[in-house]
Amino acid sequence: HADPSMDYPFYWGHADEKGQDAGDGYNLNLPMARGTEWSAYKAQLAAAIERLQAFAPDVLIVPFGADTYIKDPISFFAIETADYTSMARMIADLGLPTLICMEGGYAVDDLGANVAAFLNGFSA
C-alpha cells in the first residue's frame, strides 16, 4: 500500500507496525513510495508471499484495489493493466482457496480492463 507518511491512510500502515499482544508479528505492512512501478511492487509482493508461505494459511482473502493503476486519479502508483495479470498469477501460484474482495479503483474508463486482467491471472 501507499506510504502512510505521504498518502492515505496517513495514520497507520507503517512498516514498524507489526501487531501487538497475541497478534504481535502477524501484521506485515509494506509501504511503497509514490511512483512505484511493477518491478518494485513485484518485489514487495514476493516478500508478502514468502511470509504467507511461512504462515501456511488454509485460505487467503485478497482485498484487490486497482487504485494502484498508473492513470488512477487519486493514487500515485504506476502499475499497468498487464501487470495485474502477473500480480494475480503470483498469488494464485500459492494454490490456496482464495476470496477476492474488490476495493479501490477510480480510473473508471480502465477499471473493467484492470479487474479482468487481475482475474485472468487466477484462471491462467
Side-chain angles (χ1 to χ4, degrees):
H1 58 73
D3 185 340
S5 65
M6 303 164 112
D7 290 302
Y8 181 83
F10 298 111
Y11 304 107
W12 53 81
H14 296 273
D16 64 347
E17 296 171 358
K18 301 184 187 294
Q20 61 187 31
D21 302 326
D24 188 32
Y26 287 95
N27 195 51
L28 176 63
N29 285 304
L30 299 169
M32 291 176 256
R34 289 181 175 202
T36 295
E37 296 177 346
W38 172 238
S39 60
Y41 192 103
K42 181 180 178 180
Q44 294 288 49
L45 179 58
I49 286 171
E50 184 177 311
R51 183 84 172 270
L52 276 168
Q53 289 171 319
F55 181 69
D58 295 323
V59 65
L60 182 62
I61 300 172
V62 176
F64 171 67
D67 50 354
T68 52
Y69 181 55
I70 192 166
K71 295 180 187 174
D72 194 277
I74 66 169
S75 178
F76 302 101
F77 284 81
I79 304 300
E80 302 280 352
T81 300
D83 299 332
Y84 291 116
T85 303
S86 300
M87 183 185 299
R89 185 76 252 146
M90 289 176 69
I91 297 166
D93 283 347
L94 284 164
L96 294 169
T98 303
L99 171 68
I100 302 165
C101 303
M102 186 66 200
E103 289 199 351
Y106 309 98
V108 181
D109 292 341
D110 297 312
L111 185 58
N114 291 334
V115 171
F118 187 78
L119 294 175
N120 284 337
F122 279 90
S123 61

